[in-house]
Amino acid sequence: MKKFDRTKHKNMGALPDALRQMVAGRDIAAATHEFNEFMTALATDFHRQLASGADKNDIVLTAPGKLFGHDVSLEYVASGSVGSVYKMQIGDAVFALKINRNSSHGELGVMPIQKRARGLVNPVHIGSVFEFGGRKYSWVLSDYIARDRTDGFESAMEKMYYMYLTKGLTIRDAHPGNFKNGKLIDTPSLVMRDGELDDIKRLTRIEQKIVQRLAYCIKTNDTDTFAQLVARARTQNPAVINYMFLAMKFGRAPIFGAGQTNDFAQRLRRFESIIDAAYRANKRAPEHVR
C-alpha cells in the first residue's frame, strides 16, 4: 500500500447512502463540498478548544446550523491515543465522527484496502484533511455502532484469520478496545503483508485458490478434506505448503497474542499440525520427489 501523501489529498471517500438520500436531486459534488465545510468547521472548533487548554474528554461540540435541512446533534463518546470520537446524528441518520488530535491520517490512508475486509471493518465513508495552527489534521465519518456483542472480539478474530490467509490482511494491534460488535473500529491498524515471506501475492492464482479451499476447511472444521488437499499440494503445489506454514505460524498473533483460548484457537492447532507435518516432510524429501 502506498503511503498516504497529505500534500495531494484534502478529502477522500463519498457521502454515505443515508446522506445521499437527503440531497437527492442536488448536485452531489456541491453537496459533498457543503458537507466537508460543515465537518471541517466542527473539527476546527474541536482543535480551537483543545489549544485553549480544554481537556479532550470535556470538549463539547455544537453544530453551526442545520445540514441538508436537518438538525444535527453531537454527543461525546470516547478518546483514544490518537483521536476523539463523537456520536453524530443528522436527522434520523447516526454516525461516528472521529477527529484526530495529532497529524495522523491513518484512516484516510487505509481506505483503499478496507474494501478487502468487508464484514470485519467498520468502513470509513468520507474524511478530510484540514489545517489548524499551521499543522494538518483530519476527521473521518463512519457508521456508529451502538452496542458490543459478548463474543464480538472472538468473532472478529476468527474473520481476521481467514482474511489473513486468503487476502494478505493483518492487524497491528489486536485487542478488544479496537473492536465493537465484531467489527474493527480502529482502521489504521489494518495493514497488508506486502513483500513479506508470507505475502499471498507471491502465489499464482491457482495456488491462491487452493489456499482459499484450505481456509474454507478450517472455517467448516473439515480436517479430512484439509488433509487431502495438503497431501495433494505437497507434491503438486509445494509453494502452497510453504505459504500456509509461514502464514499459520505468523498468523497466530491476532488469535493467540490477544490472549484467546476459545474454541476456534483450539481447533486451529489441529490444522496447524497437519501443515507442520507436510512442511517438514517436504524439507526432508529429495528435490526430485517434491
Side-chain angles (χ1 to χ4, degrees):
M1 183 183 69
K2 292 183 178 179
K3 186 177 180 181
F4 177 71
D5 186 348
R6 72 185 69 174
T7 65
K8 295 182 179 179
H9 300 83
K10 288 193 174 180
N11 61 276
M12 294 182 67
L15 292 177
D17 289 341
L19 297 186
R20 292 177 72 93
Q21 292 173 12
M22 294 180 186
V23 297
R26 291 178 52 183
D27 178 66
I28 193 63
T32 302
H33 178 74
E34 177 185 343
F35 178 77
N36 284 341
E37 292 292 311
F38 187 96
M39 299 297 284
T40 297
L42 285 174
T44 300
D45 182 38
F46 174 89
H47 275 276
R48 186 180 296 111
Q49 294 185 52
L50 195 66
S52 298
D55 186 275
K56 62 181 183 293
N57 300 306
D58 298 327
I59 295 176
V60 177
L61 293 182
T62 303
K66 291 180 180 290
L67 181 62
F68 304 146
H70 295 271
D71 290 327
V72 179
S73 64
L74 292 114
E75 178 185 340
Y76 175 74
V77 176
S79 289
S81 59
V82 174
S84 297
V85 178
Y86 289 80
K87 176 183 177 183
M88 184 175 191
Q89 184 163 347
I90 306 169
D92 294 329
V94 181
F95 303 98
L97 166 64
K98 180 178 180 181
I99 304 172
N100 284 321
R101 298 190 306 276
N102 58 28
S103 296
S104 171
H105 308 94
E107 289 89 356
L108 298 179
V110 82
M111 284 177 71
I113 67 170
Q114 66 183 11
K115 290 181 180 179
R116 296 174 62 88
R118 292 183 189 277
L120 175 74
V121 172
N122 184 26
V124 173
H125 297 295
I126 189 170
S128 182
V129 174
F130 66 98
E131 289 192 29
F132 179 82
R135 297 185 62 187
K136 287 183 169 64
Y137 301 95
S138 65
W139 59 263
V140 294
L141 192 78
S142 56
D143 290 337
Y144 179 74
I145 302 176
R147 64 184 183 87
D148 194 5
R149 296 200 318 262
T150 303
D151 67 339
F153 180 56
E154 294 181 355
S155 172
M157 287 297 93
E158 187 170 344
K159 293 177 187 176
M160 185 69 250
Y161 193 80
Y162 301 134
M163 292 182 186
Y164 182 96
L165 288 180
T166 62
K167 297 185 179 181
L169 295 171
T170 192
I171 297 174
R172 287 195 187 101
D173 191 11
H175 68 81
N178 284 344
F179 292 83
K180 197 170 184 180
N181 210 22
K183 289 190 175 183
L184 177 68
I185 56 175
D186 182 29
T187 55
S189 64
L190 181 69
V191 294
M192 295 287 295
R193 298 195 315 273
D194 290 333
E196 299 181 25
L197 291 176
D198 56 339
D199 182 355
I200 194 168
K201 293 193 294 296
R202 291 173 176 262
L203 302 181
T204 66
R205 286 190 177 183
I206 292 177
E207 291 167 344
Q208 290 179 24
K209 289 290 185 183
I210 297 172
V211 169
Q212 291 173 5
R213 293 181 66 188
L214 291 170
Y216 183 75
C217 288
I218 297 174
K219 187 174 184 178
T220 56
N221 200 19
D222 187 350
T223 52
D224 290 340
T225 303
F226 186 88
Q228 294 170 10
L229 291 170
V230 167
R232 190 181 310 151
R234 249 204 74 197
T235 56
Q236 298 179 10
N237 305 97
V240 170
I241 303 301
N242 292 339
Y243 168 79
M244 290 293 289
F245 176 80
L246 290 169
M248 294 184 79
K249 288 293 183 181
F250 292 109
R252 291 168 65 93
I255 305 295
F256 297 90
Q260 295 301 291
T261 57
N262 55 39
D263 292 341
F264 175 69
Q266 299 299 322
R267 181 204 318 168
L268 200 55
R269 290 190 176 95
R270 298 197 299 272
F271 292 93
E272 286 180 341
S273 66
I274 296 172
I275 286 293
D276 186 73
Y279 177 82
R280 297 185 187 284
N282 269 6
K283 286 296 183 182
R284 292 193 299 268
E287 189 69 32
H288 67 279
V289 297
R290 290 183 191 174

